[in-house]
Amino acid sequence: MKKRILSATMTSLLAISMLLAGCSQTTQAPPTEPAKTEQPAPTPAPEPAKNEPKQLIVGRGGDSAGLDPIRETDGESFKVTENIFDTLVGYEEESTKVVPSLAEKWEISEDGLTYTFTLRQGVKFHDGTDFNAEAVKWNFERWMDKSNPFHNQDGYYYYNDMFGGYKGDPNHVIKSVEAVDPHTVKFTLNYPLAPFIQNLGMSPFAIASPTAVQAAGADGFTEKPVGTGPFKFKEWKRNDTITLEKNPDYWNAGYPKVDTLVFKSIPENTARLTALINGEIDLMDGLNPDDAETVQGNSDLQLILRPSMNVGYIGFNVEKKPFDNPKVREAIAYAINKPAIVEAFFAGLGQPAVNPMPPTLWGHNDSIKDREFNLEKAKQLLAEAGFPNGFKTQFWAMPVPRPYMPDGVKIAEAIQQDLKQIGIETEIVTMEWATYLEKTRIGEQTMFMLGWTGDNGDPDNFLATLLDKNNIDGNNNTRWANDEASQLMMKAKQANTQSEREQLYKQVQEIIFKEVPMVPLAHSTPALAARANIVDYKPHPKGSESLEKVDIK
């Protein structure tokens, strides 16, 4: 049961309640019956006739930024690319335990510097070319070497964050990739990297057809993706649909179960639910937490909860005034009423966040106690920072619903009211999702809203990815550069035992809490919904998954 949270002051809750007036809410043990969102009468989805092609339509909140997985960091892109491409290793269906994928097995040297993979034989790319060790080597050389003609020289690869930069950089971890024979590939590292195997299973490091990349070019391939996965790319109608077709030669025999897979963009959560009820789509993410009760009460639908491994946060571009001052950042941390926001917007499917990584992940520092909502303390810190009367600033709000932020603009408006009480006037700014991501990556924002769903179940993927100084212009959108924290994170990457890594990551979290480059806002349990005839869908904690096993009964 969700518990009603008592705020430190009534002022902030009053502001939030005014914002939410007239909106449908589901609250545990309410004093009066809450208003219900009017929904059309359910329309049973027609069951496919025997031997007729099966089409699975997935409704989502936004379009993909691109379909070349190495170039992307957003979940909307990975939802699609994970169905077109495979990685060397994968994860269990409902956990981040590493399992074989394109590599059937692997050996690690005692010094942790050599990884030798035995590759699956007989696998073909969608263009009919062979998957082999040379293809693996070609992909890694494209990713790691900025001088490679098929590297995206003007862009950004997630490879930078997870493997210590690019070839020639001081911390770059991969010394060489060698095709020992057609079915054996050997990686030699410059230094031990504890999460190396975990990283290889991540969506960006899917293996693409070298022939297809060379034919389309580094920029063209994102529009014409070719992998080894269960589905082949067919068509992309921007901001509408991406259509994939069954790969009849998929190496995992018997899959996929459906013939056509369509990802349909429906930005507004309630409109997406209406499309599901009407049978226009079969599966949807981004269910409003308040609508979970509606889904549960409809026999034609099923409610699905994704295991939580995320954080939604308010970040500060610390390179821009006044957010270069830690006291300003801490003042805002005191002024945001997290419990009230989580209660108002997450409907029992979220909890206030203290650290940038979720408490479900090993290495989380449980000893850190969060700042209480305290407007007087916030005003005091602002005065000490030289802003006794506050200031004006932009506040960038996410334009699409995400698992960790169900309604970015409304949450921004609630925070706007909190900050107004300490003299900070905010102008809420938003824009198209791909543009939003790129502009925050290159540092155009001031105060902003973003979040992160973990890719591999390792603390490094939250702390280093989001806050290592080496990842500025990558996923470190706060542009925070703390030498001590970065050194500790590097030690943690190379440590021999998990217990040693845990202690180092806990120290990093203490520095982050003190310096406040971001205000972790919430960890959510994302809600999804599907038609009742959809079977064998298992949502993965990392936020996206292959749909090869999903069937329509």
Side-chain angles (χ1 to χ4, degrees):
M1 297 289 285
K2 185 182 70 170
K3 297 180 180 178
R4 189 173 290 280
I5 302 172
L6 296 177
S7 303
T9 73
M10 294 300 294
T11 309
S12 181
L13 278 176
L14 179 60
I16 292 175
S17 65
M18 291 173 67
L19 283 169
L20 297 176
C23 294
S24 172
Q25 302 253 349
T26 300
T27 307
Q28 303 272 341
T32 58
E33 182 67 20
K36 301 285 187 180
T37 302
E38 291 295 327
Q39 300 289 353
T43 302
E47 293 191 13
K50 289 183 179 180
N51 300 321
E52 281 193 6
K54 294 181 180 181
Q55 177 173 263
L56 179 69
I57 304 178
V58 180
R60 56 187 185 147
D63 201 1
S64 299
L67 298 179
D68 181 355
I70 191 61
R71 299 176 66 163
E72 309 307 334
T73 63
D74 69 296
E76 295 301 345
S77 295
F78 295 146
K79 286 173 188 174
V80 181
T81 63
E82 284 197 38
N83 289 280
I84 301 173
F85 298 88
D86 296 308
T87 45
L88 285 179
V89 300
Y91 307 115
E92 284 187 338
E93 286 184 338
E94 297 177 278
S95 81
T96 53
K97 180 180 178 181
V98 174
V99 295
S101 183
L102 287 175
E104 292 184 313
K105 61 182 180 179
W106 53 90
E107 296 179 359
I108 308 171
S109 63
E110 289 187 10
D111 61 6
L113 295 177
T114 304
Y115 290 72
T116 304
F117 293 86
T118 300
L119 306 181
R120 196 176 297 277
Q121 299 188 29
V123 178
K124 297 281 188 180
F125 289 105
H126 299 156
D127 58 7
T129 58
D130 291 333
F131 163 77
N132 51 32
E134 286 293 342
V136 174
K137 177 182 177 182
W138 189 93
N139 274 267
F140 274 86
E141 289 181 342
R142 173 200 173 200
W143 304 338
M144 73 170 69
D145 188 353
K146 284 188 172 183
S147 67
N148 187 293
F150 298 100
H151 186 98
N152 180 31
Q153 286 91 345
D154 297 327
Y156 157 77
Y157 284 176
Y158 199 176
Y159 180 96
N160 174 79
D161 293 18
M162 305 313 297
F163 295 105
Y166 300 105
K167 185 176 181 180
D169 291 344
N171 294 323
H172 183 230
V173 69
I174 298 179
K175 183 177 182 179
S176 64
V177 183
E178 177 186 355
V180 177
D181 61 46
H183 307 296
T184 308
V185 62
K186 183 171 73 173
F187 291 78
T188 303
L189 308 188
N190 288 310
Y191 58 86
L193 182 67
F196 183 72
I197 286 286
Q198 293 290 137
N199 291 354
L200 291 181
M202 290 167 52
S203 301
F205 309 126
I207 305 301
S209 161
T211 301
V213 177
Q214 290 166 352
D219 292 330
F221 186 74
T222 195
E223 303 277 349
K224 300 176 181 179
V226 178
T228 60
F231 294 92
K232 298 180 177 183
F233 174 78
K234 180 182 179 182
E235 183 182 38
W236 187 357
K237 297 179 180 178
R238 286 278 183 179
N239 298 310
D240 184 15
T241 58
I242 294 176
T243 302
L244 310 182
E245 293 181 322
K246 179 178 183 176
N247 175 11
D249 302 315
Y250 189 45
W251 56 264
N252 194 4
Y255 299 107
K257 290 294 186 181
V258 301
D259 300 281
T260 306
L261 176 59
V262 179
F263 292 89
K264 184 169 181 59
S265 299
I266 306 175
E268 209 280 315
N269 290 0
T270 303
R272 206 174 318 118
L273 177 57
T274 299
L276 182 71
I277 291 172
N278 287 341
E280 297 167 16
I281 61 175
D282 303 297
L283 173 67
M284 64 166 283
D285 65 0
L287 181 71
N288 280 330
D290 281 344
D291 286 328
E293 185 179 349
T294 299
V295 172
Q296 287 179 308
N298 187 330
S299 61
D300 292 316
L301 305 180
Q302 55 180 309
L303 178 68
I304 303 168
L305 297 180
R306 186 182 297 280
S308 179
M309 192 170 69
N310 61 45
V311 63
Y313 66 86
I314 306 303
F316 309 103
N317 184 339
V318 302
E319 293 181 345
K320 292 186 176 181
K321 294 183 179 299
F323 302 112
D324 58 339
N325 189 324
K327 287 190 175 182
V328 170
R329 306 194 297 262
E330 187 174 15
I332 292 174
Y334 272 108
I336 295 176
N337 194 338
K338 292 184 196 178
I341 289 170
V342 170
E343 181 178 18
F345 294 101
F346 289 80
L349 295 176
Q351 66 182 91
V354 179
N355 296 310
M357 55 185 279
T360 54
L361 207 62
W362 63 269
H364 182 269
N365 193 331
D366 299 327
S367 66
I368 297 176
K369 304 303 177 186
D370 205 3
R371 298 173 180 88
E372 295 181 352
F373 173 59
N374 188 327
L375 294 176
E376 293 306 313
K377 179 66 174 177
K379 291 176 182 177
Q380 175 191 331
L381 286 165
L382 275 184
E384 292 175 5
F387 299 95
N389 299 315
F391 55 85
K392 293 182 179 181
T393 188
Q394 288 186 339
F395 181 13
W396 288 31
M398 293 169 51
V400 296
R402 300 298 301 136
Y404 43 75
M405 204 73 70
D407 194 326
V409 173
K410 279 193 166 60
I411 291 174
E413 289 170 352
I415 292 173
Q416 181 183 52
Q417 295 302 312
D418 281 340
L419 299 184
K420 188 175 182 179
Q421 296 177 74
I422 62 170
I424 298 178
E425 299 285 342
T426 56
E427 174 196 358
I428 295 176
V429 175
T430 192
M431 63 201 72
E432 188 268 333
W433 180 227
T435 304
Y436 187 96
L437 291 173
E438 178 60 14
K439 286 182 176 291
T440 52
R441 184 185 72 81
I442 63 178
E444 291 189 16
Q445 76 284 10
T446 48
M447 179 177 166
F448 64 99
M449 171 187 292
L450 259 178
W452 189 254
T453 297
D455 296 290
N456 64 9
D458 194 282
D460 177 76
N461 183 241
F462 279 88
L463 301 180
T465 298
L466 298 179
L467 291 162
D468 191 331
K469 71 175 185 179
N470 296 306
N471 293 338
I472 291 173
D473 289 328
N475 285 300
N476 181 354
N477 295 292
T478 67
R479 310 184 77 81
W480 182 64
N482 183 285
D483 290 338
E484 182 183 5
S486 291
Q487 289 168 6
L488 289 169
M489 284 187 268
M490 178 55 72
K491 287 182 180 179
K493 291 176 192 284
Q494 300 182 49
N496 293 322
T497 66
Q498 182 169 310
S499 60
E500 184 181 353
R501 297 185 72 207
E502 283 183 356
Q503 293 308 310
L504 291 165
Y505 286 130
K506 287 179 179 180
Q507 292 179 52
V508 172
Q509 290 165 77
E510 289 172 359
I511 297 170
I512 293 168
F513 186 81
K514 179 182 177 182
E515 291 289 314
V516 207
M518 63 167 62
V519 179
L521 192 63
H523 306 296
S524 74
T525 300
L528 305 92
R531 301 291 301 186
N533 63 340
I534 301 301
V535 297
D536 296 329
Y537 172 65
K538 296 180 180 179
H540 198 273
K542 62 184 173 57
S544 56
E545 54 280 316
S546 171
L547 301 178
E548 64 195 77
K549 295 184 179 180
V550 178
D551 202 355
I552 304 174
K553 296 298 185 182

